[in-house]
Amino acid sequence: MRLLRDALVWGYWHPFKRLVWALPDGAAQALAGGLGRLLGRVPNARLAGMAEAARFIPGVPDDPAARLALARKALVEFCQTDVEVLLFPKLTPERTAALVTIAGRERLDAALGAGRGVMLAFGHYGANQMIMPAIGYAGYRMWQLSAPATALNEKLPEARGALVRRTRELRWEHEQTLPVTHVNVFGGLKEAFACLRGGHVLGVAVDGGGGGKRAAVPFLGRTAAFSLGPMELAGRTGCVVLPCFMERASGGRLTLRIEEALPDVAPGPEAAACATARMAERLSRAVEANPSHYLYFLSFRLLMEKGGHEPFFVSSGAVA
């Protein structure tokens, strides 16, 4: 079984990738959507994990059939998002503009026009990695604070073969073709400080596992552990914090929605914790509006917890 799984993953990153590259714009997302619908009809661990994760989102009906239907929708979106990673080396400003609409761009322009750096704060929600080409190919200088895909080779609680480990290296190679400067979240933050103090754009996922300091904040009707690092960085640099969300319509079209800025973050851990709670509330609203956009990440964090890593929800409360 493991050899078959590894072979399928290899096929995805080699012959299937070449097929995706040869398709016209829009056809790759349609193919990915069809693949997701097909996989949603076959029992598999990813589908089951996302159906289980649906229990943690307020408003999702307390019904196994409803949770499974939501997981199937999330699986289609996951496949579309994953195929877009295959396309990273082939993206151009024109192709990216055809895939993504930026709503609220005037907020980003106003902050940069005032000479301030901007932190685009987001969660692992929707096609969040497409924020990088959407901003970079729109003409902005962007840095991205993130973990390399290769970090999963050491941190995932599952044993995988050499072929799968190699595909994570390929994913990281694809990410490095994007028009951003990557800053390793597990390394120093000198480049991130320079980016914001230089009046540029820094992308940061606020719900990831990096960073040492954490704040317990309200999230999805429970209490979750969010890193304090992003908002401490905002407080020390005086940048503008703009929450943003990459959302997918039913046809596959993407919209990067840039919201109104959070209140300016003062230096210090207390102000950082307050700003983190505000950002968690924005993310919570987005997840409740589009729960399928967050199921893959929630299922991933639950898997990590089972493997002995830090839990995401520190106080789960009553779960249906």
Side-chain angles (χ1 to χ4, degrees), residues 60-99:
V60 174
D62 180 17
D63 174 59
R67 292 196 290 264
L68 179 59
L70 186 63
R72 284 174 171 157
K73 181 181 180 184
L75 188 56
V76 170
E77 294 169 356
F78 168 82
C79 288
Q80 291 172 321
T81 297
D82 215 52
V83 162
E84 284 159 356
V85 176
L86 298 183
L87 287 172
F88 281 173
K90 299 297 183 180
L91 291 178
T92 62
E94 295 74 24
R95 292 191 75 182
T96 304
L99 292 169

Side-chain angles (χ1 to χ4, degrees), residues 26-37:
Q29 283 73 17
L31 176 61
L35 178 61
R37 285 186 287 274

